[in-house]
Amino acid sequence: KGSNGEVFVPVNLHPWDSENNKIYNPADAFLYGDSGVLIGNWTADKKDIKWHFGDWLRIDHRLSTRGLFEPSITELSPAGTFAMVMRGSNFKRPELPGYAWLSYSSDYCRTWSKPKPFTYSDGTKFYVPASCSTLFRSKHTDVLYWIGNVVEDNPYGNHPRNPLVIGRVDEKNFGLIRNSIIEIDHRHSEIESKNVELSNFKIMQHSKQDEIVVAFVRRIDGKWARQPSWIRVKLD
């Protein structure tokens, strides 16, 4: 919910190439995505929501071969200013750096700035595979956090999707605060391959305590684990 009372739902889609009468996929890299936000307004009787799209955001396929997927948004200050962090990819172009991508809106998600890499708060870039991530605020302290996969070396496409980390976000110099990052989970080298996936997670915030539960299912060599992983994280 935004400060203006509207409802905002970040989404991605596979755009249509009307000139060639097919799904737009300029890098021929599985699928290509645009990101954007559904904007909802309650009807006068409060019984329904009317939806419309803001502008769709596209990135040059020579920067992210699969476009922009799995957007996550948060409202900043002043009111109406939003940040959106999205999944990128270097699939089929391993020489490209793998980043998460960042864009801003100053008009309640109607229009978006040209995407740029999501960085540390000092401006240093870091590597992220093609995997989901999320921005969220603590309901208790209003501190902004980011959860995702941060890797030491340049990834290729979806891999590796480990470790899974959480860190605070500096909203003034918008970026991940390097010394706040902790691992939520990592690869257990004695039993798991390098490409174990710690991704596709969901989070739940505790109603009374400043902590979250992160839930996901490990995926090892293309096979899902039999049971989900549930990890409690205290937001200290």
Side-chain angles (χ1 to χ4, degrees):
K1 181 181 177 180
S3 59
N4 63 350
E6 292 180 318
V7 180
F8 299 94
V9 181
V11 294
N12 60 256
L13 59 68
H14 310 304
W16 185 251
D17 182 354
S18 57
E19 183 177 338
N20 296 297
N21 200 34
K22 63 180 182 179
I23 291 176
Y24 183 70
N25 189 7
D28 191 27
F30 187 54
L31 285 171
Y32 182 93
D34 289 342
S35 283
V37 175
L38 279 166
I39 302 167
N41 289 274
W42 288 99
T43 56
D45 59 10
K46 305 297 183 183
K47 292 183 178 181
D48 201 358
I49 296 179
K50 291 185 176 181
W51 296 97
H52 65 278
F53 289 108
D55 284 352
W56 290 102
L57 179 63
R58 179 170 296 175
I59 193 171
D60 190 322
H61 67 275
R62 290 165 292 190
L63 297 175
S64 176
T65 57
R66 294 185 60 195
L68 300 170
F69 278 90
E70 297 175 320
S72 180
I73 61 173
T74 188
E75 189 170 8
L76 306 173
S77 181
T81 304
F82 280 74
M84 180 163 63
V85 173
M86 298 150 286
R87 162 183 166 175
S89 181
N90 63 355
F91 182 53
K92 289 196 172 183
R93 291 283 305 276
E95 73 278 9
L96 292 177
Y99 298 136
W101 294 86
L102 170 67
S103 181
Y104 295 103
S105 173
S106 59
D107 54 7
Y108 287 99
C109 302
R110 270 70 176 176
T111 60
W112 294 94
S113 65
K114 184 177 180 180
K116 64 179 184 178
F118 179 48
T119 67
Y120 290 119
S121 56
D122 63 5
T124 305
K125 298 173 183 176
F126 58 88
Y127 293 125
V128 181
S131 61
C132 68
S133 69
T134 191
L135 296 163
F136 76 96
R137 287 190 184 278
S138 165
K139 296 179 180 178
H140 305 279
T141 63
D142 206 40
V143 173
L144 184 63
Y145 294 88
W146 179 83
I147 297 178
N149 302 119
V150 174
V151 296
E152 291 185 3
D153 301 314
N154 192 29
Y156 177 58
N158 295 9
H159 300 292
R161 287 178 166 179
N162 67 82
L164 182 65
V165 307
I166 182 173
R168 297 194 309 275
V169 176
D170 180 344
E171 297 187 53
K172 184 177 180 180
N173 302 305
F174 198 92
L176 193 58
I177 301 173
R178 191 194 300 259
N179 64 8
S180 73
I181 297 172
I182 62 167
E183 285 190 356
I184 296 173
D185 203 354
H186 58 270
R187 177 175 78 96
H188 299 281
S189 58
E190 67 279 6
I191 58 173
E192 296 176 333
S193 71
K194 291 183 178 180
N195 282 341
V196 60
E197 297 181 34
L198 310 179
S199 185
N200 297 343
F201 57 87
K202 302 293 182 183
I203 65 169
M204 295 174 286
Q205 290 202 50
H206 198 289
S207 61
K208 297 181 180 179
Q209 299 174 164
D210 196 20
E211 66 179 47
I212 60 172
V213 170
V214 182
F216 58 94
V217 179
R218 310 176 87 84
R219 194 166 188 251
I220 306 171
D221 298 327
K223 296 182 179 179
W224 297 101
R226 293 182 178 180
Q227 301 293 334
S229 297
W230 298 76
I231 301 175
R232 292 176 64 182
V233 180
K234 186 176 182 181
L235 303 176
D236 187 359

